[in-house]
Amino acid sequence: MAELRLLGPVQMWVAGQPVDLGPPKQRAVLAALAVEANQPVPLPVLMERIWDQAPPRAARAVLYTHLSALRRTLRQTAAENSDSPAVLRRDGGYVLEVDPGRVDAHRLRSLVERARQPGTPAVRQAGLLRQALDLWRGPALADLSTAWAGRVRDAWQQQRLTAARHWAEAELQQGRRGAVVDELLALTAEHPLVEPLFALLMRALHADGRDAEALDHYNAVRHRLVEELGVDPGSELSGVHRAILRGTLPPPLPATVRPTVADPAPAAPAHTQRATTQPSPGRAPAQLPADVHAFTGRVRELAELDRLLPAGGARAAAGTATALVISAVSGTAGVGKTALAVHWAHRVRDGFPDGQLYVNLHGYDRDQPLPAAEALAGFLSALGVAGQDIPLEIWDRASRYRTEISGRRMLVLLDNAATVDQVRPLLPGTPSCAVLVTSRDTLAGLVALHGARRVDLDFLPAADACALLRALIGGRVDDEPSAAATLAMQCARLPLALRVAAERAAARPTTPLSTLVGELADQQRRLDLLDAEGDPGAAVRDVLSWSYRHLPAEVARAFRLLGLHPGPDCDPYAAAALVDTSLEQARQLLDLLARAHLIHRTQSVRYGMHDLMRAYAVRLAHTQDGEPGCHAALTRLFDLYRAGAAAAMDTLHSAEAHRRPHPPPAGSPTPPLHDPATALAWLDAERPNLVATCAHTAVHGWPRHTTQLASTLFRYLDTGGHCPDALTIHTHARHAARHNGDRASEAHALTSIAGVHFHQGRYSMAADHIQQALTLFGEVGDRQGEARALGNLGIVLWRGGRYEQAADRLLRARTIHRENGDRAGEAEALDHLGLIYQRQGRHRQAAEHHQQALDLFRATGHRDGEADALASLGVVYRRQGRYTQAADHHQQALARYREIGDRGGEAEVLNNLGEMLHTTGDPDQAHIQQAAALALAVETADHYEQARAHAGLAHTHHDTGHLDQARHHLRQALTLYTDLGVPEADDIRGYLTHLDDAESSGANGHAPAGRLNPAAAGG
């Protein structure tokens, strides 16, 4: 009998004997496939799991070698054991075919699921969960050291702790307190900051009459939480503490009637978390659109969807994880696929307490469908992954998505899909999620390869169609049943057409339905002469035409032109630009169209349009307004977004205005963006539209708008951590510039793309893009752009410890800035040169350069740069022993960063303050500052500042005698610094080696993080 073990070192046992699985990388290949048992794993994903982001040059060949060796090994075991796993090549990658019951990690999950089924007696639950816990042999994948292995290890550890909690609850129901206390004592010693475990331990001790011990444990964990995290115990733990003190702690609920809510996963303590964490239970994503008003019928289809959940629906889903179910709801346009999916999702949402994800894939919009990579970025953001931590490549994103969602009970609704390829990367790899897909296509590949169960929608039955009309227009249907039945048939019993027709009838309450039926019949005959497509969706166009024909001329024109908008929604300013009218008139037009159900409200002042409505509106626009009219409308819209972005950036970053394009004023009303909060809110709200605008303008004849928008938005995207959107926008700008022969703008885009790579710690890729930009700047003679690129390259080289080369680039940049009269650019070069001198221990020269930079920043009103220079000076003064001046400069920098909302800069200064307080002998205050820095750096996905915070916390723990905690933080810092490839890793490695040597505690300073700057404005 073959058994694959992952919950410990990676091992395979056959007939009670271990099998030699080869070297570590070969075992990593087997583990990477086993985690996705019986599911294909693409080659890029395998490579990422085995080598992280740094595969060797011959990685693919090495991978094939490992796969071949594994196949040979497994074939040999199969000769003796028919149930041995097999590695096979499949479409989309390699797959490990194996009985999941022979893989300990999958068996653990199966046992937990069986134990959690509703109605399972406590004794049965306890037995199943005990079997699951006994499978654990130590840290999962213990002999693998990649980042992927670490993420899987953490996820499985969470599953183990959750299983332990449920086991303890089931045991307590049977009065077996001694075994529970012993197990929980061992687990709390292993996880000294996981509050739910301590809450359960206190309950068990209380049940055993050991209240004093329970209170002692509370005091101990409270002390650790305050000391290490700077927080008090949460509501669950403190509530148990109060109840014990008052003598009001209730007995545990019987396991068979436990509330069907999500079990909060034991949260990793903040100081152990890497760049991002899963959202807390209170922040579960809830992305479903609003439920459908007056939803009618579809009883059979709803029941069929319910049957896809165990025991028939949401109640079962709440009690146990569902098997992976993909239901492809397919049907013609307007038949109500989205309405059915959204309505059903709301019915069962309580069964998925870890949240619901939703995305409209725009599979049949006139422009390109939403790429799966962009959908994944949105999901990762909703799951709590900071922008800078969202990978750039689609399969990397898919892998991270599956890791983030692993073990959660979530509902994923993929609306309006075009193809199976668009859907496949969005499928979770965990059996605890349900996925619902809507599409006009049958998605046969989803059914064949992924076990989807298709629910095909037909037209509403006649009775249901009339019932929907009755729900929308009331008793008139019963007054004229024959006319109502005819109207339903004229709408082809399509819900979308019925809703539009009902709105037309509601707008004319005194007109008999029979009259309206006659008007629609006339309109349909007229259209039949012009349109012989013959598809069922034509009924929607017929009804739209009928409704559209009765719109006032100005409202009809607004409907046509709004359909041209390339983004997901619009506000009154965008409507005013498209229609070329006043803001007040635009608001009135939007309200009228919303009341006619031709557009729908997405937020309080934002509106969207169904894809069929949009297609119909665009068709009308090209027919009635002509190509020149459509082009003019879109140009006004793009002018608005370009001018709005420029105004917002001038408010937020006024000192860099000379580096950005200066577009002409828009020819339509523009929003007032004169204060930073309003400007930032506008950018955040319009970011999806700005991304869509760059995508549209790049390929439809407005390349200058693309490049200018990208150059304008650089700093917002850079400091806001919007890496996925930044990469999309700047890539579109690069392609538009190249297609247009605009080499200067291409160079600016390359420089901006380098900034994305820099923030994600991909320094070699950042340097490569900057070198390409430098070549182009040199070819076109753009000296300002050349200076910016040289300065950015200097920062990249500095971060990598190549100080002489960094200084050379920065000195050249400073010279060009002086020649160009760019005082802010000169200040940046001076400040960054000061960072190099800091690293080299040349503190006097560093202070001189930072002070010169500070004076220039203040003279030019550059608040960002002023904060940077103040922070840099503070570090130098600390190293010179001028602690009062250091503290003053750090406090000033902190105030500036908080004024401009630069949370990355705030984390940097908090780290600086922590290092200074440690130097001056105040480890408690140092700990507070660096714990705050770590929390901020995790939020902003700033790995460098995370590493600095861990290193600082290690120093404070070392000084207070907590050597185990010091080692823990040092390992965290070492992992981060090593991933970044920076020289600080050597310092930490040496500190770890000589932790007990008092001399090692002296190397506690790190320079500020530095930042990249945009190339000179172009376009």
Side-chain angles (χ1 to χ4, degrees):
M1 182 179 296
E3 179 183 6
L4 188 56
R5 299 178 181 177
L6 306 178
L7 300 178
V10 178
Q11 296 177 343
M12 184 173 172
W13 290 69
V14 175
Q17 298 296 319
V19 175
D20 183 4
L21 295 174
K25 293 298 184 189
Q26 193 163 300
R27 295 197 300 274
V29 174
L30 180 60
L33 294 171
V35 169
E36 308 280 355
N38 303 309
Q39 294 291 330
V41 182
L43 275 176
V45 175
L46 272 176
M47 293 169 66
E48 186 269 338
R49 291 179 176 180
I50 296 163
W51 289 289
D52 290 334
Q53 301 296 330
R57 288 188 177 181
R60 195 172 289 259
V62 174
L63 180 57
Y64 288 141
T65 300
H66 289 319
L67 285 164
S68 296
L70 277 176
R71 282 172 152 174
R72 286 195 301 273
T73 299
L74 296 178
R75 278 198 298 267
Q76 291 170 2
T77 63
E80 302 175 5
N81 297 272
S82 59
D83 64 347
S84 181
V87 174
L88 304 174
R89 185 76 170 91
R90 291 283 186 265
D91 289 342
Y94 285 86
V95 61
L96 180 71
E97 285 197 348
V98 61
D99 177 0
R102 302 298 182 196
V103 184
D104 57 359
H106 297 296
R107 190 157 70 252
L108 182 148
R109 184 164 52 197
S110 175
L111 287 166
V112 172
E113 290 170 3
R114 288 162 58 192
R116 300 294 311 283
Q117 289 178 356
T120 304
V123 63
R124 175 66 172 158
Q125 285 191 25
L128 291 169
L129 291 168
R130 184 69 263 169
Q131 291 179 53
L133 293 171
D134 288 343
L135 294 170
W136 193 265
R137 297 176 294 112
L141 309 180
D143 49 345
L144 306 184
S145 59
T146 62
W148 167 79
R151 292 193 296 268
V152 173
R153 187 179 301 121
D154 290 345
W156 287 350
Q157 181 69 273
Q158 297 287 335
Q159 292 180 21
R160 175 204 178 198
L161 294 180
T162 301
R165 292 183 61 209
H166 294 315
W167 168 82
E169 291 169 356
E171 291 283 13
L172 286 175
Q173 296 306 313
Q174 303 170 76
R176 299 173 59 183
R177 301 182 291 273
V180 171
V181 169
D182 290 343
E183 180 87 8
L184 290 175
L185 283 171
L187 283 172
T188 52
E190 186 181 345
H191 303 280
L193 293 173
V194 178
E195 294 183 49
L197 290 178
F198 280 93
L200 195 52
L201 173 60
M202 291 172 65
R203 287 181 179 275
L205 288 168
H206 169 73
D208 203 29
R210 299 156 65 180
D211 284 2
E213 289 182 56
L215 296 175
D216 285 344
H217 280 287
Y218 174 82
N219 291 330
V221 70
R222 180 183 180 279
H223 177 75
R224 282 193 295 272
L225 289 168
V226 171
E227 181 187 61
E228 299 195 20
L229 307 182
V231 298
D232 287 319
S235 58
E236 180 184 7
L237 185 57
S238 58
V240 173
H241 176 246
R242 286 194 302 271
I244 290 176
L245 289 174
R246 297 170 182 169
T248 59
L249 184 65
L253 286 172
T256 54
V257 295
R258 195 164 49 238
T260 55
V261 297
D263 296 304
H271 71 280
T272 70
Q273 292 168 343
R274 287 288 302 273
T276 59
T277 59
Q278 294 182 356
S280 65
R283 294 177 53 221
Q287 297 187 324
L288 292 180
D291 201 356
V292 182
H293 169 65
F295 185 90
T296 303
R298 302 302 190 194
V299 174
R300 180 186 62 79
E301 290 86 354
L302 288 169
E304 188 172 351
L305 288 170
D306 284 344
R307 282 194 296 274
L308 298 180
L309 296 177
R315 180 174 299 177
T320 183
T322 68
L324 178 60
V325 175
I326 308 162
S327 300
V329 180
S330 59
T332 190
V335 79
K337 299 179 297 296
T338 298
L340 172 66
V342 170
H343 183 69
W344 180 78
H346 276 281
R347 281 174 31 134
V348 302
R349 65 183 300 168
D350 290 343
F352 301 96
D354 293 323
Q356 309 89 40
L357 297 173
Y358 169 86
V359 65
N360 184 348
L361 295 171
H362 297 285
Y364 296 90
D365 278 5
R366 70 185 189 281
D367 288 329
Q368 290 296 315
L370 182 74
E374 292 185 26
L376 284 166
F379 280 177
L380 287 170
S381 178
L383 291 167
V385 179
Q388 289 174 204
D389 263 355
I390 295 176
L392 302 183
E393 301 298 331
I394 180 171
W395 287 114
D396 293 335
R397 289 183 182 180
S399 178
R400 181 65 184 270
Y401 164 63
R402 289 194 296 271
T403 299
E404 291 292 332
I405 207 171
S406 177
R408 300 191 190 187
R409 297 207 302 274
M410 301 189 75
L411 177 64
V412 182
L413 176 47
L414 308 176
D415 193 16
N416 202 13
T419 65
V420 175
D421 289 339
Q422 191 185 21
V423 170
R424 186 174 288 117
L426 304 174
L427 301 180
T430 182
S432 55
C433 295
V435 183
L436 193 64
V437 186
T438 75
S439 177
R440 296 183 202 171
D441 188 84
T442 59
L443 301 180
L446 207 60
V447 176
L449 298 178
H450 297 280
R453 317 196 203 159
R454 191 166 59 239
V455 178
D456 292 317
L457 289 194
D458 204 343
F459 313 119
L460 281 172
D464 287 345
C466 289
L468 177 57
L469 286 174
R470 184 180 298 105
L472 295 170
I473 60 177
R476 295 165 68 186
V477 171
D478 296 321
D479 293 340
E480 298 182 77
S482 177
T486 303
L487 180 59
M489 295 304 296
Q490 287 175 317
C491 294
R493 308 196 310 277
L494 289 168
L496 178 61
L498 287 163
R499 288 179 180 276
V500 176
E503 179 55 36
R504 181 71 199 143
R508 300 166 67 184
T510 61
T511 302
L513 286 183
S514 56
T515 301
L516 299 176
V517 166
E519 291 179 5
L520 179 53
D522 290 342
Q523 180 68 11
Q524 287 174 329
R525 282 193 295 272
R526 190 176 300 114
L527 286 171
D528 285 343
L529 298 174
L530 302 174
D531 188 350
E533 293 181 22
D535 68 292
V540 180
R541 290 194 297 274
D542 292 346
V543 176
L544 289 177
S545 300
W546 174 55
S547 185
Y548 169 79
R549 186 164 57 89
H550 290 86
L551 291 174
E554 68 275 14
V555 182
R557 179 171 176 270
F559 171 69
R560 298 194 302 269
L561 297 179
L562 285 174
L564 299 172
H565 196 296
D569 60 12
C570 71
D571 68 353
Y573 289 97
L578 284 165
V579 183
D580 196 15
T581 189
S582 68
L583 185 63
E584 184 57 35
Q585 179 66 12
R587 290 193 177 102
Q588 294 175 9
L589 292 170
L590 289 169
D591 184 60
L592 288 169
L593 289 170
R595 278 192 264 160
H597 285 270
L598 295 174
I599 62 175
H600 58 271
R601 200 182 297 268
T602 59
Q603 296 179 32
S604 59
V605 292
R606 304 190 73 84
Y607 299 84
M609 187 179 287
H610 187 281
D611 60 345
L612 270 181
M613 301 280 194
R614 187 187 299 273
Y616 178 67
V618 169
R619 181 183 180 190
L620 288 173
H622 286 291
T623 301
Q624 298 191 27
D625 300 283
E627 293 303 323
C630 294
H631 188 276
L634 283 172
T635 300
R636 290 191 298 271
L637 177 70
F638 301 149
D639 286 348
L640 165 71
Y641 286 141
R642 184 175 59 178
M649 294 304 293
D650 285 346
T651 297
L652 290 167
H653 302 281
S654 58
E656 293 184 339
H658 65 289
R659 301 176 184 169
R660 294 190 291 268
H662 299 285
S668 62
T670 55
L673 303 174
H674 305 309
D675 68 271
T678 303
L680 186 60
W682 184 85
L683 288 167
D684 288 341
E686 296 294 349
R687 191 168 72 248
N689 285 325
L690 296 172
V691 174
T693 292
C694 286
H696 189 92
T697 55
V699 297
H700 289 100
W702 289 270
R704 190 173 178 80
H705 284 77
T706 314
T707 55
Q708 289 189 339
L709 257 179
S711 294
T712 299
L713 292 169
F714 170 85
R715 182 62 73 196
Y716 161 71
L717 297 168
D718 181 72
T719 60
H722 306 301
C723 286
D725 289 339
L727 185 65
T728 299
I729 285 175
H730 297 314
T731 300
H732 283 307
R734 180 187 182 186
H735 292 161
R738 177 180 290 178
H739 183 74
N740 207 38
D742 185 351
R743 289 184 293 172
S745 292
E746 184 181 353
H748 301 313
L750 284 165
T751 306
S752 299
I753 292 171
V756 178
H757 291 301
F758 179 83
H759 283 301
Q760 295 201 323
R762 303 155 79 108
Y763 300 137
S764 61
M765 295 185 71
D768 178 66
H769 281 78
I770 296 173
Q771 291 287 5
Q772 294 180 57
L774 277 170
T775 300
L776 289 173
F777 282 133
E779 290 176 0
V780 300
D782 186 339
R783 296 284 283 167
Q784 188 179 27
E786 184 181 354
R788 293 287 158 219
L790 283 168
N792 288 346
L793 184 57
I795 287 296
V796 174
L797 293 168
W798 164 80
R799 179 61 67 80
R802 298 158 68 182
Y803 302 133
E804 291 186 7
Q805 294 167 287
D808 172 73
R809 294 346 183 250
L810 289 167
L811 287 168
R812 287 161 58 187
R814 179 189 179 191
T815 299
I816 299 173
H817 285 312
R818 275 184 168 176
E819 293 172 356
N820 291 338
D822 186 348
R823 300 175 73 198
E826 183 182 353
E828 286 160 355
L830 285 166
D831 195 40
H832 292 151
L833 281 165
L835 298 179
I836 296 175
Y837 297 138
Q838 279 189 41
R839 288 272 184 89
Q840 296 175 328
R842 299 159 64 182
H843 297 144
R844 182 179 58 79
Q845 293 103 314
E848 289 173 355
H849 280 73
H850 292 318
Q851 186 62 56
Q852 292 177 51
L854 179 60
D855 294 341
L856 283 171
F857 281 134
R858 284 175 168 165
T860 56
H862 197 306
R863 292 185 299 165
D864 307 53
E866 181 184 355
D868 292 342
L870 284 166
S872 300
L873 271 171
V875 173
V876 176
Y877 289 151
R878 174 180 63 80
R879 291 179 174 174
Q880 292 178 324
R882 299 158 66 179
Y883 301 126
T884 301
Q885 290 170 282
D888 177 65
H889 280 70
H890 285 323
Q891 292 296 345
Q892 290 185 59
L894 192 61
R896 300 291 188 283
Y897 282 132
R898 285 173 173 167
E899 286 172 9
I900 60 179
D902 188 337
R903 294 172 68 76
E906 186 178 347
E908 175 190 322
V909 175
L910 289 170
N911 267 327
N912 293 345
L913 282 168
E915 290 166 0
M916 189 198 70
L917 289 163
H918 177 267
T919 302
T920 56
D922 192 348
D924 291 339
Q925 285 299 314
H927 191 286
I928 291 172
Q929 299 296 333
Q930 284 168 320
L934 179 59
L936 268 175
V938 167
E939 282 184 33
T940 57
D942 189 331
H943 294 188
Y944 188 80
E945 292 303 328
Q946 287 178 51
R948 287 185 67 203
H950 279 299
L953 288 168
H955 284 293
T956 59
H957 281 302
H958 180 273
D959 286 357
T960 53
H962 299 103
L963 298 187
D964 287 343
Q965 288 152 320
R967 288 189 183 90
H968 167 78
H969 285 292
L970 284 172
R971 291 189 187 100
Q972 295 289 315
L974 179 60
T975 299
L976 288 160
Y977 279 141
T978 301
D979 288 347
L980 291 169
V982 295
E984 288 88 339
D986 293 332
D987 296 337
I988 299 300
R989 196 174 289 110
Y991 191 1
L992 263 172
T993 303
H994 304 287
L995 183 61
D996 294 327
D997 184 349
E999 292 296 322
S1000 66
S1001 64
N1004 62 347
H1006 298 276
R1011 62 182 72 227
L1012 291 185
N1013 295 296

